[in-house]
Amino acid sequence: MKGRFHYYEGYSMKEVTFPVRVMYELGIKTLFVSNAAGGMNPGFKIGDLMVITDHINFFPEHPLRGKNFPTGPRFPDMHATYDPSLIQLASQIAREKKIRLQYGVYMGVQGPTFETPAEYRMYRTLGGDTVGMSTVPEVIVAHHCGIRTFGISVVTDLGGFDIPVEVSHEEVQEAADKAQPLMTQIMREMIVRSEKTESMKKEKFNTDHPTDKWK
């Protein structure tokens, strides 16, 4: 996708997550998500890439509220929502390419205002490392559909520290643009290696189960 529907734009959660439903029907098995986010971890700096290891859903509406779709259970388990094997693969690639990665929890909130200093401190106390206005609804629906998910936050601003930091949309966009090439390197290589792995699995299956055997 190029862009996404945001809850703060006035769309319902079903509208926000509809593209993921379409992807599922098209047979998508793996979903990569990215976002621009505010950094709340004191160890982060602007321009950092944070691999999302988990999230906290702070949206006022849940994307699975209502009649359950038959793509998953009524009460889905949310452990390992962000696929551990994909996280491991991204880490390996980043080490090889000498790209600095952070790891942490993404806090998904409604928006559209940026957070107040007090809100930044609260979200940090609750366990968030970055905060943003997207991603969580789509990831929940993808997980409900059995789609493997990998996510990265680009840290575009900092908040919740002793010295208040004002932020504008233009500054967020500038930081995201600078970090995007590094993120793209990692994701492209992940796709290449994942495709190779799948190809090797198919070749092994064909070797172990020659078609002549079933004729």
Side-chain angles (χ1 to χ4, degrees):
M1 293 174 59
K2 185 175 182 180
R4 51 158 60 97
F5 299 108
H6 292 92
Y7 187 72
Y8 64 73
E9 294 177 288
Y11 296 105
S12 70
M13 277 298 178
K14 283 187 169 49
E15 291 172 316
V16 168
T17 58
F18 180 72
V20 178
R21 297 288 184 193
V22 174
M23 291 178 191
Y24 170 80
E25 295 297 335
L26 291 171
I28 298 301
K29 304 297 182 185
T30 306
L31 177 67
F32 285 21
V33 294
S34 64
N35 58 59
M40 301 180 292
N41 188 315
F44 290 1
K45 62 181 182 180
I46 292 176
D48 273 352
L49 297 176
M50 187 197 83
V51 172
I52 304 174
T53 57
D54 204 347
H55 71 232
I56 299 174
N57 181 17
F58 230 67
F59 284 89
E61 181 185 351
H62 198 283
L64 299 183
R65 181 176 179 268
K67 184 179 179 181
N68 186 49
F69 279 80
T71 55
R74 169 76 281 186
F75 304 105
D77 180 86
M78 296 300 290
H79 286 84
T81 304
Y82 299 85
D83 190 271
S85 63
L86 293 176
I87 293 174
Q88 184 177 13
L89 178 59
S91 301
Q92 178 183 341
I93 293 168
R95 285 194 298 270
E96 293 171 4
K97 295 183 176 293
K98 295 180 171 53
I99 297 174
R100 167 186 162 103
L101 285 184
Q102 303 282 13
Y103 301 85
V105 176
Y106 176 81
M107 173 80 70
V109 299
Q110 172 177 286
T113 55
F114 289 112
E115 291 69 37
T116 67
E119 287 170 339
Y120 270 126
R121 291 193 296 271
M122 177 184 71
Y123 295 149
R124 177 62 182 158
T125 300
L126 291 175
D129 294 288
T130 59
V131 59
M133 308 169 194
S134 65
T135 303
V136 170
E138 297 100 310
V139 168
I140 289 174
V141 169
H143 190 67
H144 185 253
C145 292
I147 298 173
R148 301 167 69 209
T149 303
F150 173 78
I152 285 184
S153 287
V154 179
V155 178
T156 54
D157 60 278
L158 301 172
F161 308 134
D162 293 335
I163 302 174
V165 180
E166 293 185 8
V167 61
S168 69
H169 176 72
E170 290 73 23
E171 289 171 324
V172 167
Q173 189 62 54
E174 182 181 357
D177 291 342
K178 288 181 179 179
Q180 183 177 349
L182 298 177
M183 179 183 70
T184 302
Q185 279 189 57
I186 293 172
M187 287 188 170
R188 280 182 175 166
E189 186 62 23
M190 288 177 71
I191 293 169
V192 169
R193 296 190 189 187
S194 295
E195 288 177 346
K196 285 182 180 178
T197 300
E198 286 302 313
S199 178
M200 290 173 64
K201 285 181 181 178
K202 288 178 182 178
E203 288 179 5
K204 185 177 186 305
F205 178 82
N206 291 334
T207 302
D208 293 343
H209 304 276
T211 54
D212 290 343
K213 179 181 177 180
W214 306 106
K215 288 182 179 179

